[in-house]
Amino acid sequence: MTIRRRGPGEPETIGRYRVLGSLESPVGFHTLLAAGPDDSLVVVRQAQPELLDEPEFRIRMRHSAVAEMRVRGATNTTVIDVDADADKPWLASVFVPGVRLDRAVAEHGPLPVPAVRALAAALAVALRTVHAAGLVHQRLRADSVLLARDSGRLGEIGITPVAGPPSAGSVTSLGTPDFLSPEQALGLSITPAADVFALGSVLAFAASGSAPFAAPSVPYALFNIAQREPDLSQVPEPLFELIAACLRKDPAARPTPGQILDYLGGPPAAPAPWPAPVLDDIGRQQDQVSALLAALPPIVAPETPPARPWSEILSGIGQTVLETGRRAVRSGRQRWRAATPGRRRGVAGGLAASLLVVGGITYAATRPETIPPPVTGLTLAQLRQIDACAWLASALGDAVPVAPTPLAADTWKLQPSSSWGCHASSNRNILSLALGAEDTYLTPHRNIVDGVPIIDGSSASCTRAIASPGAESPAGIVITLSPANGGKECDGIDYIAANIARSLSTAPRAENRESSLALVEPCPLLDRDLVTAKIGKLPPEPSIADAHTCQWDARVQLSVKLVSSSKYTSGDDLVTISVDGFTMFVDQGNAKAICTRAYLAPKSEKETIEVSVHGTEGFREDYCAIATEVLRSAVERLPSR
């Protein structure tokens, strides 16, 4: 996908985004690449005038954007902003360098079997997330699928409830009919199974180069989808069973996304096994983006005179009022001397009132500015110092309101987690408090407790989070409740989250942690030049940077994780190796695509540094060599304590 530099007729800004260039656009939209205030890249889709003639377009666009904001996941598009009331309505989503599936197949031919399987797993994960949010995607097509370096990604969502008929004209508004389901072609009620049928058509296209119901005209294609069997003659045999199952006419006979993942052996591994020409296209696109960012002029804030401190303003007012008060007192004395005994009581009252006003304003003008800003979240550095179990114990209060009966605080058993968090269990209910964990998978819906925003989890789980401030906001405090019997009653988690929010400024600090790995920031332990040399050019920021984990994704995935205890350095049958006098523990698993090396921290019986490298099968020895060298470098970079 080529990025064209912004032309003279295109806007310089849209909302708070600076336009860099334009991308290939679907019908009815102008698609732009833009930079946010922090230079993060976004894709802005701006509606063209012909769409605005539709009476309910703005409403549908707003609803679509809100729905997409509810769907967060590594294989889904992340919508972050929308303005449906602008002259040209627009929505913004996170930019991910990649090649559209239809373009990749048109320019480089069908994908090989391993790539199609990886794509199937990625799209199944994406659909599972969409369906868990109570939505049907209904726009899964070859041109809405992106081949990114790490995985396949699913694009725009068309709003449809989990069950219900399509709106009038929806078939023609969904673009090419080749990837519709029979339900959509016949105007029947749409369920999540419609997305699975579309997935089968997309995979058949990726594997063979043509859609299984393609026809010279739209009516003919719709007839094929509704009445004929798919043409899978060009689909490789290893993929035939999966694709044919997805393309069954009966919605109830199709597999679910979860069943597809089980069939494929789980979520896709990174990086994705795309053909070399596709990876080259992605690399060229990244180079284009880097050039556009480099040419972007910096934002220069207007120079404004520094604001006068409030105390200085009050002080000036106070001096004026004080002088006025002095004159009032002098005048009052003269009136007192001249007044009769009866009138002196009134003069005394006036003098007292003047003195009260002067004294109050003088105090306000001279008192120190000691009111601190409100605490709405804790930084990762602060969270590393907290005793999670002590904090969770205090948040339990007298009893936790779980269904069907509240559970008293003394019935909960607390156990520290390996990441310096805490787990609590009572009557098969499990609470978890993680400090500095990721919260990017949560929805943007939130409640406010004493001024603290609490982010909600999806309807499928009882999870709440309090984000860390500033650039650390994708991580923070994450609280999860797993109710007994798999229920979804979340009153208990809201109760715990509210108590945590109210005690941010008084969270208990852990004792004797001065020399602990808990206080160490993980990313500085990785030598960026060394990691780049081992796994390829790194993105600007790590994929995961929580309180105790740093992960980079390039040709392979590399992470360093600091834990309070590790299966690699505790227990029986431990295996160690020594490389040039450096001793480390090795994993003994049978995984063919991942290798982990671990190091027991000095002066510690349990705390461990783990370095893992994850890629494709067949290169484990190479990954072990990388993990060994990076772990050794990380240990050398440990701060002295």
Side-chain angles (χ1 to χ4, degrees):
M1 178 171 58
T2 302
I3 302 172
R4 184 177 59 82
R5 190 181 297 274
R6 184 179 66 84
E10 292 176 333
E12 293 185 4
T13 60
I14 296 179
R16 59 195 183 103
Y17 305 104
R18 295 185 289 169
V19 175
L20 299 175
S22 57
L23 305 170
E24 189 173 12
S25 302
V27 176
F29 285 89
H30 189 195
T31 306
L32 301 163
L33 178 66
D38 59 351
D39 283 345
S40 60
L41 293 174
V42 299
V43 175
V44 179
R45 284 183 285 163
Q46 191 176 45
Q48 294 303 290
E50 58 265 26
L51 293 179
L52 304 183
D53 294 336
E54 185 181 341
E56 296 184 353
F57 172 76
R58 293 178 185 271
I59 296 175
R60 290 196 303 107
M61 183 175 182
R62 182 182 293 109
H63 286 179
S64 178
V66 171
E68 291 190 60
M69 289 177 183
R70 291 167 53 191
V71 179
R72 297 287 183 102
T75 56
N76 296 88
T77 297
T78 303
V79 171
I80 58 175
D81 205 351
V82 63
D83 187 351
D85 297 319
D87 291 340
K88 291 183 178 180
W90 55 268
L91 60 82
S93 56
V94 173
F95 171 75
V96 178
V99 180
R100 270 177 26 186
L101 176 62
D102 60 332
R103 293 299 182 194
V105 172
E107 295 176 9
H108 307 299
L111 300 181
V113 170
V116 177
R117 288 178 61 87
L119 179 63
L123 295 180
V125 170
L127 288 179
R128 186 174 60 177
T129 304
V130 171
H131 298 165
L135 302 169
V136 177
H137 190 282
Q138 80 159 325
R139 291 187 180 177
L140 175 52
R141 309 179 304 251
D143 63 346
S144 68
V145 171
L146 189 72
L147 304 182
R149 185 174 292 276
D150 58 344
S151 181
R153 292 180 184 257
L154 182 56
E156 57 181 308
I157 294 176
I159 292 309
T160 297
V162 160
S167 59
S170 63
V171 170
T172 57
S173 68
L174 296 180
T176 174
D178 292 344
F179 303 97
L180 296 180
S181 67
E183 304 92 280
Q184 290 170 298
L186 296 171
L188 303 177
S189 294
I190 295 174
T191 68
D195 289 338
V196 175
F197 191 94
L199 173 62
S201 295
V202 167
L203 296 178
F205 172 83
S208 67
S210 60
F213 301 102
S217 66
V218 170
Y220 196 177
L222 295 177
F223 175 80
N224 286 348
I225 291 170
Q227 303 296 333
R228 295 186 181 278
E229 291 303 310
D231 179 6
L232 303 181
S233 58
Q234 301 302 312
V235 171
E237 189 276 333
L239 301 169
F240 187 91
E241 182 180 41
L242 170 62
I243 294 175
C246 293
L247 293 176
R248 292 168 182 158
K249 300 296 185 187
D250 181 5
R254 299 168 200 156
T256 65
Q259 290 171 330
I260 293 173
L261 282 174
D262 291 340
Y263 175 83
L264 294 170
W274 308 139
V278 173
L279 294 175
D280 290 342
D281 287 348
I282 297 173
R284 280 192 291 271
Q285 188 183 97
Q286 290 175 319
D287 292 340
Q288 288 179 315
V289 170
S290 298
L292 288 174
L293 278 175
L296 192 65
I299 298 176
V300 180
E303 293 187 5
T304 56
R308 294 174 63 195
W310 180 236
S311 60
E312 182 181 324
I313 296 172
L314 279 178
S315 178
I317 297 173
Q319 292 297 326
T320 302
V321 175
L322 187 60
E323 183 58 34
T324 301
R326 287 170 179 163
R327 289 197 299 268
V329 170
R330 287 195 297 270
S331 174
R333 287 174 180 168
Q334 294 173 356
R335 290 164 58 200
W336 176 274
R337 296 191 187 101
T340 63
R343 294 185 61 190
R344 287 182 177 179
R345 286 192 296 272
V347 173
L351 281 172
S354 298
L355 289 172
L356 284 173
V357 170
V358 171
I361 294 180
T362 302
Y363 169 75
T366 57
R367 67 174 179 171
E369 296 179 350
T370 58
I371 302 176
V375 177
T376 59
L378 300 180
T379 66
L380 298 187
Q382 292 171 321
L383 292 174
R384 294 186 187 104
Q385 302 180 40
I386 290 174
D387 186 331
C389 282
W391 201 9
L392 184 56
S394 65
L396 295 175
D398 296 327
V400 179
V402 297
T405 305
L407 295 174
D410 58 7
T411 66
W412 292 85
K413 296 181 179 179
L414 278 68
Q415 179 69 35
S417 71
S418 63
S419 58
W420 292 281
C422 188
H423 300 300
S425 60
S426 176
N427 195 27
R428 293 179 296 163
N429 294 273
I430 300 175
L431 272 169
S432 174
L433 174 61
L435 304 180
E438 286 186 287
D439 62 20
T440 54
Y441 57 89
L442 301 179
T443 72
H445 304 152
R446 57 181 61 193
N447 296 320
I448 304 293
V449 174
D450 289 357
V452 178
I454 299 179
I455 308 171
D456 291 348
S458 71
S459 59
S461 66
C462 297
T463 303
R464 302 293 183 264
I466 301 172
S468 293
E472 296 177 334
S473 59
I477 303 164
V478 178
I479 314 112
T480 304
L481 170 64
S482 300
N485 302 321
K488 295 181 181 179
E489 298 83 2
C490 294
D491 290 345
I493 197 64
D494 288 325
Y495 167 81
I496 295 293
N499 286 343
I500 292 290
R502 295 187 183 103
S503 58
L504 290 179
S505 59
T506 58
R509 292 170 62 96
E511 298 180 356
N512 303 319
R513 195 173 277 186
E514 295 79 6
S515 59
S516 171
L517 287 181
L519 301 183
V520 176
E521 186 178 353
C523 284
L525 296 182
L526 295 178
D527 183 329
R528 187 182 179 99
D529 292 338
L530 173 62
V531 175
T532 299
K534 295 300 179 182
I535 70 172
K537 184 178 180 181
L538 302 181
E541 300 294 336
S543 306
I544 297 176
D546 64 30
H548 306 292
T549 306
C550 187
Q551 175 180 304
W552 291 99
D553 291 327
R555 290 194 299 266
V556 296
Q557 182 186 94
L558 184 147
S559 66
V560 59
K561 187 173 184 179
L562 311 180
V563 294
S564 61
S565 61
S566 171
K567 64 181 180 180
Y568 303 117
T569 58
S570 60
D572 301 327
D573 301 324
L574 300 179
V575 176
T576 62
I577 60 173
S578 182
V579 178
D580 295 333
F582 180 74
T583 302
M584 68 194 80
F585 295 78
V586 302
D587 60 329
Q588 302 178 66
N590 296 320
K592 299 179 181 179
I594 187 170
C595 181
T596 300
R597 294 290 182 259
Y599 179 81
L600 195 62
K603 304 178 182 179
S604 172
E605 297 179 355
K606 294 183 177 181
E607 292 187 350
T608 303
I609 305 172
E610 298 175 357
V611 171
S612 298
V613 181
H614 190 179
T616 55
E617 293 186 7
F619 297 93
R620 175 178 165 84
E621 291 186 6
D622 295 336
Y623 300 156
C624 290
I626 295 173
T628 296
E629 189 168 351
V630 172
L631 175 61
R632 185 170 185 172
S633 172
V635 171
E636 293 174 350
R637 296 166 73 94
L638 280 173
S640 301
R641 295 185 180 277

